[in-house]
């Protein structure tokens, strides 16, 4: 880690987070974890790494960053794992290039990252994804099965693979969960409406799609506003949706699903998120799939129910022989 990164970590982030009402203690966290960057071709990928033991890669979704995994990370390290939480291109503190948001490109980039940083020194690793991290984790496992020992995914749907919702006007609950898929694909309008109003937008989004909304306290919102107001952040976030739901993106996903996943897969949705949709999807394209639904939580499972999530991961990994 560079000295510049050290200063950013110890001053800016610790000052912003402190010890908040959710129980996250930033100074203690940074005694265990460090920030790094890896240059993959011409894209700088930011990641947070800590602990010793068998490595696990955590992949976040929109509109978040590696920070969504903070509670999970601390518990996994305490249980004897090395934890690497990555910001894929266009997320968090990674670069925000103009193009390259198809899943083949993202997966190949993370594959190169795993080799360059020697995360694969002891062999294949466990991969965990949430939201868009579910898309990325699935693409990585499908395209590079030799590096993924197991795949665990939480509260997402796979574009081009998960069956679309029935036609017609959605009810209020479904509308709250799905409106942004169409909105994020529009040209110009999201930038017009969100730019300069990021905090209000994110506050509404986290409140509407969560049940345990207390986890999105002031310091947490400060961090998410920070990463979502970085130059190019909004454009990159929208590019994920525009690319995934383009004709080419959907075709790429459908082609990928023609070959079933061979590694063990865990797939859980949230009761107030996608429900059983994720398990039902993965159960059709994986030879060995377990999962179901977490009761009483919303979409943001790594923050709303980290202890339950880790408990299911532990059981899953034991079954996998880890």
């Amino acid at each position: 880690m560079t000295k510049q990164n050290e200063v950013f970590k110890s001053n800016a982030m610790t000052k912003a987070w402190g010890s908040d009402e959710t129980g996250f203690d930033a100074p203690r966290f940074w005694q265990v974890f460090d920030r790094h960057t890896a240059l993959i071709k011409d894209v700088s990928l930011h990641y947070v790494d800590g602990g010793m033991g068998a490595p696990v890669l955590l992949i976040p979704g929109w509109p978040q960053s590696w920070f969504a995994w903070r509670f999970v990370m601390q518990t996994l390290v305490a249980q004897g794992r090395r934890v690497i939480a990555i910001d894929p291109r266009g997320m968090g503190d990674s670069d925000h290039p103009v193009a390259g948001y198809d899943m083949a490109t993202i997966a190949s980039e993370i594959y190169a990252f795993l080799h360059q940083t020697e995360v694969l020194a002891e062999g294949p690793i466990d991969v965990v994804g949430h939201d868009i991290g579910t898309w990325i984790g699935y693409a990585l496992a499908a395209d590079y099965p030799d590096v993924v020992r197991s795949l665990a995914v939480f509260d997402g749907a796979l574009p081009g693979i998960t069956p679309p919702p029935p036609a017609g006007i959605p009810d209020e609950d479904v509308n709250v969960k799905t409106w942004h898929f169409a909105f994020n694909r529009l040209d110009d309008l999201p930038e017009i409406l969100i730019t300069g109003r990021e905090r209000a937008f994110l506050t509404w989004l986290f409140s509407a799609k969560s049940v345990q909304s207390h986890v999105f306290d002031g310091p947490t919102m400060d961090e998410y506003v920070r990463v979502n107001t970085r130059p190019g952040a909004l454009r990159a976030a929208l590019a994920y949706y525009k690319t995934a739901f383009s004709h080419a993106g959907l075709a790429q996903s459908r082609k990928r699903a023609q070959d079933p996943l061979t590694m063990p897969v865990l797939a859980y949705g949230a009761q107030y998120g996608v429900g059983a949709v994720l398990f039902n999807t993965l159960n059709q394209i994986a030879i060995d799939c377990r999962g179901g639904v977490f009761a009483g939580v919303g979409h943001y499972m790594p923050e709303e129910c980290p202890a339950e999530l880790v408990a299911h991961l532990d059981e899953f990994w034991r079954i996998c022989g880890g």
Side-chain angles (χ1 to χ4, degrees):
M1 184 187 303
T2 66
K3 182 177 181 181
Q4 182 179 5
N5 275 344
E6 285 280 8
V7 171
F8 182 68
K9 176 191 76 173
S10 61
N11 293 342
M13 287 191 169
T14 302
K15 182 178 180 181
W17 300 341
S19 297
D20 60 32
E21 65 185 55
T22 67
F24 178 66
D25 186 334
R28 185 176 180 182
F29 181 92
W30 290 119
Q31 291 175 4
V32 177
F33 292 95
D34 286 306
R35 288 164 40 84
H36 303 273
T37 58
L39 187 63
I40 308 300
K41 295 185 179 179
D42 57 349
V43 177
S44 177
L45 296 181
H46 169 260
Y47 64 103
V48 177
D49 190 348
M52 299 179 64
V56 53
L57 178 70
L58 305 179
I59 309 174
W62 176 78
Q64 297 167 286
S65 66
W66 74 268
F67 186 63
W69 296 104
R70 61 197 180 281
F71 303 122
V72 171
M73 294 167 71
Q74 294 173 108
T75 303
L76 290 179
V77 164
Q79 294 178 351
R81 299 298 298 263
R82 178 188 174 191
V83 179
I84 305 100
I86 191 171
D87 285 333
R89 71 160 57 200
M91 294 189 194
D93 287 298
S94 289
D95 282 351
H96 297 66
V98 173
Y101 292 93
D102 63 285
M103 287 300 108
T105 297
I106 302 291
S108 68
E109 208 160 66
I110 293 181
Y111 175 78
F113 161 83
L114 293 173
H115 278 285
Q116 180 171 306
T117 56
E118 300 184 347
V119 175
L120 300 171
E122 301 298 324
I125 65 168
D126 298 312
V127 175
V128 184
H130 170 252
D131 187 78
I132 288 179
T134 290
W135 309 355
I136 298 171
Y138 167 67
L140 178 68
D143 294 0
Y144 305 98
D146 58 311
V147 305
V148 179
R149 188 184 80 102
S150 72
L151 174 67
V153 288
F154 295 93
D155 214 64
L158 299 181
I161 302 173
T162 299
I169 299 174
D171 63 29
E172 291 183 8
D173 289 340
V174 173
N175 194 48
V176 166
K177 299 173 187 176
T178 61
W179 67 273
H180 61 283
F181 287 97
F183 177 77
N184 287 3
R185 293 168 58 197
L186 296 173
D187 289 332
D188 301 328
L189 185 61
E191 291 93 333
I192 292 169
L193 297 179
I194 296 173
T195 301
R197 305 176 181 87
E198 289 87 357
R199 182 176 292 273
F201 175 77
L202 293 171
T203 298
W204 185 92
L205 188 71
F206 289 133
S207 176
K209 298 188 68 172
S210 66
V211 173
Q212 308 298 327
S213 300
H214 68 279
V215 299
F216 299 106
D217 61 1
T220 300
M221 291 304 302
D222 289 344
E223 175 62 5
Y224 286 139
V225 170
R226 183 186 73 81
V227 297
N228 279 283
T229 53
R230 293 190 66 220
L234 179 56
R235 170 185 43 75
L238 300 175
Y240 269 100
Y241 288 85
K242 291 177 180 179
T243 305
F245 290 97
S246 68
H247 291 300
L250 293 172
Q252 186 185 106
S253 294
R254 291 171 184 142
K255 181 178 180 181
R256 186 174 284 119
Q258 292 176 2
D259 297 315
L261 297 179
T262 56
M263 72 288 295
V265 174
L266 184 73
Y268 272 99
Q271 179 182 356
Y272 300 103
V274 304
V277 167
L278 183 59
F279 171 73
N280 292 339
T281 298
L282 268 297
N283 197 36
Q284 297 298 313
I285 57 175
I287 294 174
D288 178 6
C289 184
R290 300 170 175 82
V293 178
F294 280 19
V297 297
H299 172 63
Y300 302 102
M301 297 171 72
E303 290 163 293
E304 293 192 58
C305 56
E308 184 179 2
L309 191 151
V310 170
H312 280 79
L313 286 175
D314 285 343
E315 180 182 6
F316 173 58
W317 289 332
R318 283 196 298 271
I319 293 171
C320 295

